[in-house]
Structure formats: C-alpha cells, structure tokens
Amino acid sequence: RLRRRAPEPRRRVWENPVTIDSNSIPFQTSAEIVQGHPAAAYMDGRTDTLRFVRAKDPGGRAWNEPIVIDVTNHSGTNPSLVIVDGRPAIAYRTRTRGDLRFIRASDSNGSTWEAPITVDANCDAYWASMAIIGGLPTVAYRDFRNPRRLKWVAAQTASGATWEAPLTVDDSGNVGRFNSLISLGNRPAIAYLDDSQKHLKFALGPVIANPAPPRVWEPAGLALAAALVIGLATTLAIRARARSAARLSPPGDFSRRL
C-alpha cells in the first residue's frame, strides 16, 4: 500500500558567524540596513573611539574595513544607528564629557562622515535611542547628571544639522534606564525603567510636525508593569492594529518577555 511520509518540520539553521573586526574590543553595538547591506556602529573599548562598518554584500558574508568616525573625548558609548535623510547617522555618548552627540555620514553608504554635533552638553547621556518621527531624527536618553531623569530631543531639520532644546520626559525618580524610542503615529513613544518603583513605564509625546508646535509630553510615564525585580533592556515595537508592545528582560533571564 502506498503511504505518504509526513514532511519533517522545517529546521532553523544559522550560518557560521563572521568576524567583522578583530582589531578592537567592540561593545554596545547597534545594527541597521544601509543601502541594502547590513551595517553596525560600535565603540572600540581599546581606543575609546566610535566606529562604523558596512557589509560588502546584502547577506553580510563579507565586510569592509571599519571606519573610525569620532576619536574625541572617548566617544561611542551607547550608539544608536538609524538612517537619517537617506544617510546613516548615529546618536551616542562621550565618556569624558558625558554629552549627547549626533554624527551623520556624508554619503549614503557611510564611507565618509561629517563632523559630530553636540546635541546636549549639559547632561551625562546614557542609553541613547534614536528614531525618525515626523521626518525628523529624535533621541531619547537617560541623564545621570540632573539627576537621573529621562530626556528627549528633536532635530530642527531632517538632516539633524540643528537641534531643539532637550525636554525632560520624566523626573519622578531614578528613571530612564534602558529606554526604547519609536514613532507612534508621528508621536514619540518611549518604554523605559523606573528603578525607584521597580516598574516598566511608557511615555507618549507630542505630535511632531514642521514647523514645530510646542513640544509637550503627557504626564509622567504610565506604569506598564510592577515587577518583583527590575527588568532590563526594554524594546518597544508596533504590533497589529496600531498597538504598541513593550518587552523587557529580567536579570538572569535574557530571553525577552512580553
């Protein structure tokens, strides 16, 4: 009798890892697709410099030589790589001064880069998260200096050549760690941690348009979860029916949970 064998479940097989940079101590990476090829921004802990590297092919099997794009003030911690007005751009922190910086490539591939711009010099900016909202680059970050508060800033131009004054989103305690910024209907939305209350929080900002109306955030972040332990590494994303979903990884369990 003819029998049909049930098909085997499809196997998920990863290709072998590729070494991109063997001449550095890279950490705090951020990846993005740049002109159809994967690319990464990261800090080299050996030289305290910000680096950028782009693959030679769409599959990321071969890579170009990394480019050092900022060598001043121990640059590159907490990089956030995004395409800004057709070119790769990075928001990041300098270790010496703690200021928030923005740098954008001179070409669409990221082969050459413009001079860095200081976006907020009156802060100690950790965990920068950049997103394009209403056509403008914007950045959320935690300020350790004034005191530990969540801040957000928007550019005045699509290229990020000039920036508005930063706004405080939440200063209700020890807040803003591991924040994640997205665009929610042309409004900035941030998931972040409240270390004082041990809560995961969500904040929704103003509609972004040009020319800029007054930037007013809704009252300090809504608590999404009250955990027995503080979560780590939040990620915010849009899901079906225009709903937002926040994920966090608890200490000791780096598989993200919803």
Side-chain angles (χ1 to χ4, degrees):
R1 182 168 52 178
L2 180 63
R3 293 185 178 180
R4 182 178 178 181
R5 183 177 180 182
E8 294 183 2
R10 185 177 178 181
R11 298 179 63 189
R12 307 295 189 186
V13 180
W14 284 73
E15 296 184 7
N16 292 328
V18 177
T19 298
I20 299 173
D21 185 356
S22 60
N23 192 33
S24 68
I25 304 175
F27 63 102
Q28 297 177 334
T29 62
S30 179
E32 179 62 277
I33 300 299
V34 177
Q35 287 293 298
H37 295 192
Y42 57 102
M43 180 183 181
D44 175 13
R46 181 178 298 169
T47 60
D48 283 340
T49 56
L50 177 65
R51 294 190 175 197
F52 171 84
V53 62
R54 179 174 175 264
K56 295 180 178 180
D57 60 273
R61 295 176 179 86
W63 289 73
N64 295 297
E65 287 295 316
I67 301 170
V68 177
I69 56 178
D70 192 352
V71 300
T72 60
N73 296 316
H74 295 211
S75 293
T77 54
N78 306 123
S80 182
L81 173 62
V82 171
I83 301 301
V84 173
D85 201 22
R87 302 178 191 172
I90 308 165
Y92 58 99
R93 172 185 178 269
T94 64
R95 291 177 65 182
T96 302
R97 298 169 57 100
D99 51 5
L100 176 67
R101 286 189 179 181
F102 171 87
I103 190 169
R104 181 170 172 258
S106 304
D107 61 271
S108 59
N109 290 332
S111 301
T112 57
W113 290 74
E114 300 171 352
I117 296 170
T118 298
V119 176
D120 187 354
N122 185 33
C123 69
D124 190 3
Y126 276 83
W127 296 293
S129 179
M130 183 162 56
I132 305 300
I133 302 173
L136 300 174
T138 72
V139 183
Y141 55 103
R142 185 193 198 189
D143 184 358
F144 264 81
R145 185 179 298 168
N146 293 308
R148 297 176 181 178
R149 62 181 64 187
L150 177 65
K151 295 172 77 173
W152 173 86
V153 62
Q156 295 176 317
T157 61
S159 65
T162 57
W163 291 74
E164 299 176 6
L167 295 179
T168 295
V169 177
D170 190 350
D171 60 356
S172 60
N174 187 3
V175 296
R177 195 160 61 111
F178 300 119
N179 71 82
S180 180
L181 170 68
I182 64 168
S183 176
L184 187 59
N186 277 352
R187 300 178 69 177
I190 310 171
Y192 60 99
L193 303 185
D194 181 336
D195 289 297
S196 299
Q197 302 296 323
K198 297 180 173 57
H199 289 169
L200 170 66
K201 282 188 171 181
F202 174 83
L204 185 63
V207 174
I208 306 301
N210 259 330
R215 312 290 198 196
V216 180
W217 282 74
E218 294 190 1
L222 169 69
L224 299 180
L228 294 177
V229 292
I230 299 175
L232 297 177
T234 65
T235 299
L236 189 63
I238 299 297
R239 301 197 64 176
R241 299 180 183 176
R243 294 176 180 172
S244 57
R247 298 184 177 186
L248 72 157
S249 299
D253 179 4
F254 293 99
S255 60
R256 291 178 177 173
R257 297 179 179 179
L258 182 58

